[in-house]
């Protein structure tokens, strides 16, 4: 910037003394080159005095543009030459206006706040150079200085697991970057997530030990940890016990823990208790959020769960969660229903619950008592099937008076469907949000369930491998192809408001519905979708329009022109997302920086982010 400053000083010397500001009428554009020519298209930050000079210079440029435009109208001079001068001055105006951009002159404190809002909201920051905060250090010297002096900007990090096979240089660079990142975070509480390697069965303990040692100087600030431990049981115990011996066990004080345990050896009934005991989680009074998944089914009550801490303080608990970035092989990771009830009995403050449950026929029930969770707002429950009727007994023992959001998943279509009726009967009137994945059910059954959800605001349906499940006439034979997923207009018909009849108190199923998402391959017609949207938008019996509609259509289904027909509703706020089946697979760009990156989702949020 020395050239810029010299140019500005020369401008001052040529036109005025050192104590006065030039009058704009004194600036002769023809005789004087811009004093900021060297600053154009750079990150130069002009002073307040410089800004006045630039504004005066712009005024003169604009005046010349007006004169040239008048000459062009009266055909004075060469038209080609005039247009060239106009283009030159327009480019100069744009370049000088860029120097006046407010972003160049923001105070450091305000710039820091903007930087913090640029961080990813649903996952930790990464080493990716295209994302914040790394990107912020590559814009200008000032931005880099502000970014590096803002510890909170470096308070989250996802660390990929690398091995010597990835190359010694890359391996070493990653370690250096981790050290620098930790130093920049200072004493700020930090959120760390660790990758898993190329496979979920990849023994990663040697590489984790290395990373934990590198970051150990800041272990007392580790507030949020997501890690997958893969190895032999003895190796797992040795890894955790060594952290305790060396006095750098972060599991003792973290506020949030996501732990995945993949044992490469045969497990014993007390394997999980031994590992949890070695972590000393029961000595952590700060723990509020816990996610625990294992590569084996939890068949027995967890003895490490018997104490008051940390379970009595937990607000969010995930046991064998249905969705986890660490479950690459989609293995059934389950917990017995009775074991889950035993755990929940020690967690009275829970607000969020996520568990993949099972009740094996050959496994005796422990006869657990009902468990009351007065503050629970969201539950995500996943079952491999509904074969055992004791699942109904489990659901009836779940006393959750504040529950308003439910994610219910069934993987296989085995077992009595009336389990769902029992669930809806117990919770239906309370629910405002429902995500429902079910592979098969009798015709017309789902339509009846939807009528029992009068307060639902948000509904997501994903009937994988279903067969005509929305046909209302249950007396007809089902001749459809078992492999075809058909979601027809009968589903939409029960959601269309009509004048209530004698036997019908509400105008339609889910009369308060605002957000609807249908996945799994819908075959709705254009008229069916349009009728739903228009009736919800205009019908006198409608309690309000849809705010968002997302439909993933099945193969061969096309609704061309629907967006144009819904233009008025879209202008009024409707978010319409239509996704059509395609045989072309879009390959996601692989990023080593983001491999096995845990994503946080807010289960209580309404609506879904628009697909990129």
């Amino acid at each position: 910037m020395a050239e810029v400053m010299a140019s500005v000083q020369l401008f001052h010397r040529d036109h005025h003394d050192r104590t006065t500001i030039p009058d704009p009428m004194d600036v002769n554009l023809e005789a004087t080159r811009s004093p900021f020519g060297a600053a154009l298209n750079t990150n130069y930050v002009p002073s307040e005095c410089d800004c006045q000079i630039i504004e005066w210079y712009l005024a003169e440029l604009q005046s010349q543009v007006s004169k040239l435009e008048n000459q062009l109208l009266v055909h004075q001079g060469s038209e080609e030459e005039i247009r060239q001068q106009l283009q030159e001055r327009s480019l100069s105006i744009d370049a000088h206006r860029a120097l006046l951009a407010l972003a160049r002159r923001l105070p450091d404190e305000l710039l820091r706040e903007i930087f913090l809002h640029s961080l990813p909201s649903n996952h930790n920051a990464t080493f990716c150079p295209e994302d914040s905060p790394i990107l912020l250090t590559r814009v200008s010297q000032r931005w880099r200085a502000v970014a590096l002096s803002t510890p909170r900007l470096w308070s989250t990090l996802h660390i990929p697991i690398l091995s010597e096979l990835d190359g010694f240089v890359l391996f070493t660079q990653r370690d250096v970057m981790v050290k620098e990142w930790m130093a920049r975070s200072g004493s700020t509480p930090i959120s760390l997530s660790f990758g898993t390697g190329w496979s979920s069965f990849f023994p990663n303990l040697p590489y984790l030990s290395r990373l934990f040692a590198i970051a150990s100087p800041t272990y007392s600030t580790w507030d949020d940890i997501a890690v997958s431990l893969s190895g032999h049981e003895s190796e797992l115990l040795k890894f955790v016990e060594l952290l305790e011996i060396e006095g750098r066990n972060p599991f003792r004080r973290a506020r949030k823990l996501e732990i995945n345990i993949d044992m490469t050896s045969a497990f014993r009934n007390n394997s999980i208790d031994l590992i949890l005991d070695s972590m000393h989680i029961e000595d952590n009074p700060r723990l509020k959020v816990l996610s625990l998944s294992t590569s084996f089914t939890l068949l027995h009550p967890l003895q490490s769960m018997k104490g008051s801490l940390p379970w009595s303080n937990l607000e969010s608990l995930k046991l064998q969660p249905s969705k986890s970035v660490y479950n690459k092989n989609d293995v059934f990771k389950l917990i017995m229903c009775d074991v889950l009830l035993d755990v929940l009995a020690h967690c009275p403050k829970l607000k969020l619950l996520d568990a993949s449950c099972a009740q094996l026929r050959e496994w005796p029930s422990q006869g657990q008592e009902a468990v009351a969770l007065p503050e629970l707002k969201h539950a995500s429950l996943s079952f491999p099937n509904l074969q055992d009727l004791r699942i109904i007994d489990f659901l009836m023992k779940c006393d959750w008076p504040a529950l308003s959001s439910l994610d219910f998943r069934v993987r296989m279509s085995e077992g009595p469907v009336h389990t769902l009726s029992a669930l809806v009967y117990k919770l239906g009137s309370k629910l405002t949000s429902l995500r429902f994945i079910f592979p098969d059910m009798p015709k017309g059954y789902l339509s009846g369930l939807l009528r029992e959800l009068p307060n639902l605001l948000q509904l997501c349906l994903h009937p994988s491998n279903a067969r005509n499940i929305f046909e209302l006439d249950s007396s007809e034979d089902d001749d459809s192809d078992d492999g075809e997923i058909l979601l027809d207009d009968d589903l939409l018909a029960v959601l269309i408001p009509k004048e209530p009849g004698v036997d019908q108190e509400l105008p339609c199923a889910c009369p308060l519905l605002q957000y609807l998402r249908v996945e799994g391959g819908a075959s709705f017609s254009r008229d069916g979708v349009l009728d739903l949207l228009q009736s919800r938008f205009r019908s006198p019996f409608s309690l309000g329009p849809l705010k968002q509609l997302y439909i993933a259509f099945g193969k061969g289904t096309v609704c061309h022109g629907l967006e144009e027909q819904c233009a008025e509703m879209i202008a009024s706020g409707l978010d319409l997302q239509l996704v059509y089946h395609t045989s072309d697979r879009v390959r996601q760009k692989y990023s080593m920086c983001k491999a096995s990156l845990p994503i946080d989702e807010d289960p209580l949020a309404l609506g879904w982010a628009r697909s990129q």
Side-chain angles (χ1 to χ4, degrees), residues 417-418 420-425 428-429 434 436 441-454 456 459 461 469-474 490-495 506 508-511:
V417 73
H418 57 259
L420 303 176
S421 299
L423 182 66
V424 172
Y425 176 78
S429 61
L434 173 64
F436 185 35
M441 64 180 63
K443 294 178 180 180
Y445 188 81
L446 182 59
S447 300
L449 292 181
L450 294 183
R451 293 189 181 278
E452 301 301 323
L453 303 169
L456 209 63
L459 174 63
L461 297 172
I469 61 175
F470 299 115
E471 290 190 11
L472 298 178
D473 187 0
S474 59
D490 289 334
L491 167 65
L492 305 181
V494 301
L495 299 173
L506 299 175
C508 60
C510 309

Side-chain angles (χ1 to χ4, degrees), residues 212-371:
F212 271 53
I214 291 173
S216 61
T218 62
Y219 88 93
S220 61
T221 65
W222 294 14
D223 191 60
D224 180 348
I225 307 169
V227 62
S228 180
L229 307 176
S230 180
H232 192 280
E233 179 182 322
S234 60
E235 296 171 337
L236 291 171
L237 290 172
K238 183 178 179 180
F239 169 76
V240 179
E241 289 171 354
L242 185 60
L243 293 176
E244 181 68 22
I245 293 173
E246 295 177 349
R248 51 186 179 91
N249 178 6
F251 304 114
R252 274 183 172 271
R253 66 172 311 281
R255 182 189 58 83
K256 181 179 179 181
L257 288 176
E258 180 177 351
I259 303 172
N260 179 67
I261 300 174
D262 274 327
M263 289 182 54
T264 58
S265 59
F267 61 89
R268 298 171 291 169
N269 290 338
N270 65 340
S271 292
I272 185 64
D273 284 314
L274 291 173
I275 295 172
L276 291 179
D277 284 341
S278 65
M279 290 181 175
H280 290 274
I281 294 179
E282 74 279 2
D283 297 325
N284 186 345
R286 300 182 67 248
L287 191 62
K288 299 291 184 181
V289 180
L290 174 62
S291 176
L292 176 63
S293 59
T294 66
S295 57
F296 48 88
T297 296
L298 299 177
L299 298 172
H300 303 277
L302 303 178
Q303 297 305 315
S304 55
M305 294 272 187
K306 296 299 183 181
S308 60
L309 288 177
W311 323 118
S312 59
N313 289 335
L314 288 182
E315 296 179 357
S316 174
L317 176 62
K318 297 181 180 181
L319 289 175
Q320 310 290 43
S322 53
K323 294 190 300 181
S324 173
V325 70
Y326 293 132
N327 188 11
K328 290 185 177 181
N329 299 312
D330 199 27
V331 177
F332 277 21
K333 299 184 175 184
L334 303 171
I335 180 172
M336 299 295 289
C337 291
D338 286 338
V339 177
L340 178 59
L341 285 173
D342 184 72
V343 172
L344 295 181
H346 296 83
C347 307
K349 297 181 180 180
L350 274 190
K351 294 180 174 64
L352 277 76
L353 171 65
D354 187 345
S356 296
C357 315
Q359 189 64 55
L360 306 179
R361 289 183 175 180
E362 63 274 12
W363 202 260
S365 175
Q366 303 298 318
Q368 297 291 337
E369 298 294 329
V371 175

Side-chain angles (χ1 to χ4, degrees), residues 537-597:
F537 186 68
R538 292 191 173 92
S539 173
F541 307 107
S542 172
L543 300 183
L546 288 179
K547 294 183 178 179
Q548 185 177 57
L549 176 61
Y550 175 102
I551 302 177
F553 287 98
K555 184 177 181 180
T557 303
V558 180
C559 291
H560 289 319
L562 186 58
E563 290 90 342
E564 289 76 8
Q565 291 180 290
C566 298
E568 180 185 355
M569 290 177 281
I570 293 175
S572 298
L574 170 66
D575 181 7
L576 181 61
Q577 302 183 42
L578 306 178
V579 179
Y580 297 102
H581 176 86
T582 175
S583 57
D584 297 330
R585 293 186 177 181
V586 179
R587 293 194 175 187
Q588 297 288 338
K589 182 180 179 182
Y590 176 76
S591 172
M592 184 177 292
C593 298
K594 299 182 180 180
S596 303
L597 175 63

Side-chain angles (χ1 to χ4, degrees), residues 39-103:
L40 301 180
N41 302 314
T42 71
N43 294 308
Y44 175 70
V45 180
S47 66
E48 187 173 336
C49 180
D50 293 340
C51 289
Q52 294 184 45
I53 298 174
I54 294 171
E55 288 174 351
W56 290 325
Y57 192 78
L58 280 170
E60 184 63 26
L61 278 172
Q62 193 62 55
S63 175
Q64 289 230 347
V65 167
S66 298
K67 293 178 181 179
L68 289 171
E69 288 175 343
N70 291 332
Q71 291 179 15
L72 194 63
L73 290 174
V74 297
H75 304 289
Q76 291 182 0
S78 170
E79 181 177 342
E80 182 179 352
E81 182 180 347
I82 294 175
R83 291 189 182 279
Q84 182 177 356
Q85 292 181 28
L86 275 173
Q87 183 179 12
E88 291 174 354
R89 281 157 176 76
S90 296
L91 292 174
S92 181
I93 287 174
D94 291 340
H96 282 81
R97 281 176 177 170
L99 290 175
L100 298 177
L102 182 60

Side-chain angles (χ1 to χ4, degrees), residues 405-421:
S405 174
L406 176 65
D407 187 337
F408 194 80
R409 305 164 182 243
V410 182
R411 296 201 177 207
M412 296 180 291
S413 58
E414 300 176 5
V417 73
H418 57 259
T419 299
L420 303 176
S421 299

Side-chain angles (χ1 to χ4, degrees), residues 23-44:
D23 188 287
M25 300 306 296
D26 294 338
V27 181
N28 186 340
L29 186 63
E30 298 296 335
T32 309
R33 295 180 58 192
S34 170
F36 297 93
L40 301 180
N41 302 314
T42 71
N43 294 308
Y44 175 70

